[in-house]
Amino acid sequence: MPATHDEEFKRLSALCRMHLKAGMLDWYAFDLKSMAALLGREGKHTDKLKVLMVAFYIDLSGVGMAPFIDDALVASLEEAARQSGLNKHQIDELYLETVKADTTPSHVMTVSDSRYILELSLSDRKDEADEILAGMAENRLTSLGKVVE
């Protein structure tokens, strides 16, 4: 018998807590993407958008992996933004209200910079977003190398 929405939400919430507590942010981001799909099926498009924003920030963080922009996630963000009915300014504000600097233990950029990467990605300027992200990641690695030396 398929799980109810409540059962699925509880299961995903438990996975989120477990992966977050264990510091498995890549898995936590995956859990958030699954939770967003569930929220979308429930018609909670603004909540879906917020959850996807956190997953986007984690993917950009470089924690546990190289920072990257997930094209499928960007497509889901575009869909959630459209379904939420929010305008660009409201989406920007929602991002800055939802994503906090302490979401990840370290990051290659500020929350405001990551919001700009999201804006570029949602504006079909992914090449520019990738270029900026690569530069920020390189700068971070260079600065870490200087600290280690």
Side-chain angles (χ1 to χ4, degrees):
M1 179 163 92
T4 66
H5 281 284
D6 287 345
E7 291 169 337
E8 184 65 10
F9 192 84
K10 286 178 187 177
R11 185 187 73 76
L12 287 170
S13 293
L15 285 172
C16 283
R17 282 190 303 277
M18 180 182 72
H19 290 139
L20 187 58
K21 185 176 179 181
M24 300 168 65
L25 292 180
D26 49 345
W27 283 96
Y28 177 57
F30 179 80
D31 298 337
L32 291 174
K33 293 168 191 176
S34 298
M35 186 173 284
L38 179 64
L39 290 167
R41 287 192 301 272
E42 293 177 348
K44 297 178 180 178
H45 303 298
T46 301
D47 291 338
K48 173 185 176 180
L49 184 59
K50 291 193 300 190
V51 169
L52 291 172
M53 288 173 169
V54 174
F56 184 82
Y57 184 74
I58 291 169
D59 286 351
L60 293 181
S61 74
V63 176
M65 68 206 116
F68 69 99
I69 299 170
D70 178 348
D71 292 337
L73 177 56
V74 171
S76 294
L77 281 157
E78 288 172 338
E79 176 186 54
R82 187 176 57 258
Q83 292 172 330
S84 72
L86 299 176
N87 65 37
K88 182 196 168 309
H89 176 73
Q90 291 169 317
I91 291 169
D92 288 347
E93 289 298 315
L94 184 65
Y95 189 88
L96 295 174
E97 291 169 5
T98 302
V99 177
K100 302 297 178 198
D102 64 356
T103 299
T104 60
S106 63
H107 211 285
V108 298
M109 69 188 74
T110 66
V111 171
S112 292
D113 288 341
S114 70
R115 189 218 41 84
Y116 181 62
I117 297 291
L118 175 64
E119 179 183 329
L120 292 174
S121 298
L122 293 176
S123 302
D124 293 327
R125 295 168 59 194
K126 186 177 180 308
D127 290 343
E128 189 177 344
D130 284 334
E131 187 177 313
I132 292 170
L133 181 58
M136 289 180 164
E138 184 177 322
N139 288 342
R140 180 171 180 238
L141 289 173
T142 301
S143 69
L144 289 175
K146 290 178 183 175
V147 172
V148 173
E149 294 176 346

